Amino acid sequence: MTPSLAGLDKLLHYYGVELQQDTLKQIWEFHQLLRANNDDQDLTRLNAFETMVERHYADCTLINAYVPKWPARMIDVGSGAGFPGIPLKIVNPSIRLTLCEPRPNRINFLNMVIEKMGLKGIDVFGHKVTSRSMTIPVDGVISRAFELMEKTLPRIANSLKVGGRVYFMKGPAVADELKTFYPEDFGYKFVGKHFYTIPNSTQDRALIILEREE
Ligand SMILES: C[S@@+](CC[C@H](N)C(=O)[O-])C[C@H]1O[C@@H](n2cnc3c(N)ncnc32)[C@H](O)[C@@H]1O
């Protein structure tokens, strides 16, 4: 399919996502910036329009169905080219969001997207997230395709408030990860384990939600 706004609309419907026209236009604008800057910037290895819509835009907006209310202040750890942070912010403009990404070309791209799209209430933390570096008090953390949950939780120990939630966007390998992961060991409890397939695709996904207890 030739990339277009209408094509994006059609594909998102196909993958089970319904968006308002204004929101759709913003995703389209983001897609164009991503395509225009990907050749020399190594932002995403996905190239085909259909695949980008399926694995980037649908994947990062379908999660809204499992979260009735997002925390007001959040960080996205390991944002890469802005996933899930940019689509999350476009679909939920009231979230105050910080994208955490240490690679210089990706930091530049994310700042450029924020500026060109005129997004408000979103910024970039251009460093590795560690327990020492990340001290912004937040009530929500999200991460996709980053690392094992047991590695991420210590990184956010001085950022996520007690009572705050962590949203891990995972692929099929999470089944194995869950066999040896005990959130109690880190002062967390499970509040959601959602397993689903992106509609009309073979892409299995999981959204694991934890709440900090201590
Ligand atoms: C596999 S990519 C995933 C990118 C994006 N979340 C996605 O789903 O497309 C992981 C990203 O995490 C970044 N990263 C690595 N270590 C990090 C750290 N300690 N804190 C924040 N980001 C980190 C990398 O530079 C890379 O862009």
Side-chain angles (χ1 to χ4, degrees), residues 76-89:
D76 173 14
V77 182
S79 296
F83 300 106
I86 299 282
L88 180 76
K89 175 70 182 174

Side-chain angles (χ1 to χ4, degrees), residues 85-102:
I86 299 282
L88 180 76
K89 175 70 182 174
I90 290 173
V91 174
N92 307 278
S94 66
I95 299 174
R96 172 75 185 83
L97 182 65
T98 296
L99 307 171
C100 307
E101 172 55 50

Side-chain angles (χ1 to χ4, degrees), residues 54 62 69 103 105 121 131 138 162 193:
E54 176 192 65
L62 276 171
K69 192 175 184 321
R103 285 171 61 167
N105 62 331
S131 60
V138 298
V162 173
K193 286 184 199 170

Side-chain angles (χ1 to χ4, degrees), residues 56 77-80 83 100-103 106 127-129 144-146 155:
H56 281 332
V77 182
S79 296
F83 300 106
C100 307
E101 172 55 50
R103 285 171 61 167
R106 296 179 173 187
H127 312 276
K128 286 195 167 182
V129 170
R144 180 180 90 155
F146 180 46
R155 293 185 194 281

Side-chain angles (χ1 to χ4, degrees), residues 39-109:
D39 284 352
D40 50 346
Q41 292 198 352
D42 183 30
L43 295 168
T44 174
R45 61 186 173 77
L46 303 184
N47 256 319
F49 184 51
E50 287 84 349
T51 319
M52 291 181 79
V53 177
E54 176 192 65
R55 296 184 206 173
H56 281 332
Y57 314 125
D59 189 38
C60 295
T61 50
L62 276 171
I63 50 171
N64 243 37
Y66 300 102
V67 184
K69 192 175 184 321
W70 290 99
R73 180 71 179 96
M74 296 184 71
I75 54 174
D76 173 14
V77 182
S79 296
F83 300 106
I86 299 282
L88 180 76
K89 175 70 182 174
I90 290 173
V91 174
N92 307 278
S94 66
I95 299 174
R96 172 75 185 83
L97 182 65
T98 296
L99 307 171
C100 307
E101 172 55 50
R103 285 171 61 167
N105 62 331
R106 296 179 173 187
I107 298 169
N108 291 344
F109 173 72

Side-chain angles (χ1 to χ4, degrees), residues 134-147:
M134 177 43 72
T135 56
I136 302 169
V138 298
D139 35 30
V141 174
I142 192 163
S143 193
R144 180 180 90 155
F146 180 46
E147 62 183 358

